[in-house]
């Protein structure tokens, strides 16, 4: 009887260890698949990426980093919102969806108009370092607000993330892992956009910088118009 008890305990340990190992393998595979899909979604030019490109060209890469942190903070908020069901609330409530949408529309249009009216004087990364450093808070808030007021982000994350969540397993660690991966990819892609803007400006010089600002401004206004026409069932 005692030998039988030991054998059962031994078999139970093997089963538990095998289950844990299988869960780790599944999670690793899930994160790899999630990383590929998230990268494709993130690298597509959108408001946050256009802002990173514009910040890189106007202020330089180093001064653009606060904006990247602002967008990353928004990423964690989006994932948290999806985890607690706020994305589903936006999908179900016309009122709250409209509130978030129109705040995003107005802010995107405002930034676009500001860039369209730019004189290009802030475009050269070598100029006015102290002024650029003083604007870190503004750069952070701009990127954060552009990302956090986009209802498409909430709806996308709410529809996208649950596909990579195992309902039977603890969900908090899964959402945390997905949030870290998503934010990390977002930061790297924004950094690439900022580097592109900073490198491009060295070739374009002042006149080219003016047109780059206007192009980014026009694109942000176009995105604001697209967001204004966006519907929950789109």
């Amino acid at each position: 009887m005692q030998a039988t008890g030991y054998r059962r305990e031994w078999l139970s340990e093997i089963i538990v260890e095998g289950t844990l190992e299988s869960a780790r393998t599944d999670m690793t595979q899930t994160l790899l698949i999630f990383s590929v899909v998230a990268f494709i979604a993130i690298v597509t030019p959108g408001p946050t990426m256009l802002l990173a490109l514009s910040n890189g060209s106007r202020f330089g890469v180093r001064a653009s980093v606060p904006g990247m942190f602002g967008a990353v903070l928004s990423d964690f908020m989006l994932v948290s919102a999806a985890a607690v069901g706020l994305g589903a609330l936006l999908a179900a409530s016309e009122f709250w969806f409209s509130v978030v949408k129109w705040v995003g529309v107005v802010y995107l249009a405002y930034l676009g108009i500001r860039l369209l009216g730019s004189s290009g004087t802030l475009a050269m990364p070598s100029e006015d370092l102290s002024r650029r450093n003083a604007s870190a808070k503004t750069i952070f808030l701009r990127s954060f607000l552009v990302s956090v007021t986009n209802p498409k982000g909430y709806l996308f994350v709410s529809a996208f993330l649950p596909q990579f969540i195992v309902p039977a397993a603890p969900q908090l660690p899964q959402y945390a892992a997905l949030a870290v991966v998503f934010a990390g990819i977002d930061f790297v892609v924004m950094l690439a956009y900022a580097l592109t803007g900073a490198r491009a400006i060295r070739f374009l010089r002042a006149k080219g910088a003016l047109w780059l600002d206007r192009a980014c401004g026009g694109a942000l206004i176009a995105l604001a118009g697209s967001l204004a026409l966006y519907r929950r069932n789109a």
Side-chain angles (χ1 to χ4, degrees), residues 50-83:
L50 286 173
L51 205 54
L53 178 68
S54 176
N55 287 339
S57 68
R58 303 178 78 216
F59 310 116
V61 176
R62 183 178 297 180
S64 302
V65 172
M68 300 175 201
F69 285 130
V72 164
L73 175 60
S74 175
D75 290 338
F76 282 106
M77 290 185 64
L78 290 178
V79 174
S80 298

Side-chain angles (χ1 to χ4, degrees), residues 33 103 115 125 154 201 218:
I33 297 172
V103 170
L115 285 173
Y154 292 96
I201 214 62

Side-chain angles (χ1 to χ4, degrees), residues 130-149:
S130 62
R131 185 175 182 179
R132 293 206 312 273
N133 291 335
S135 65
K137 182 179 179 181
T138 299
I139 293 173
F140 174 90
L141 287 175
R142 281 179 180 173
S143 295
F144 172 75
L145 290 174
V146 162
S147 183
V148 83
T149 58

Side-chain angles (χ1 to χ4, degrees), residues 148-165:
V148 83
T149 58
N150 185 355
K152 287 184 180 181
Y154 292 96
L155 298 182
F156 170 77
V157 171
S158 296
F160 177 56
L161 260 62
Q163 300 179 47
F164 298 90
I165 297 294

Side-chain angles (χ1 to χ4, degrees), residues 53 57 120 123-125 196-213 215-216:
L53 178 68
S57 68
M124 303 308 293
T196 300
R199 291 289 179 88
I201 214 62
R202 298 184 184 279
F203 295 101
L204 294 173
R205 299 303 176 186
K207 186 175 181 180
L210 174 62
W211 286 106
L212 181 60
D213 279 352
C216 289

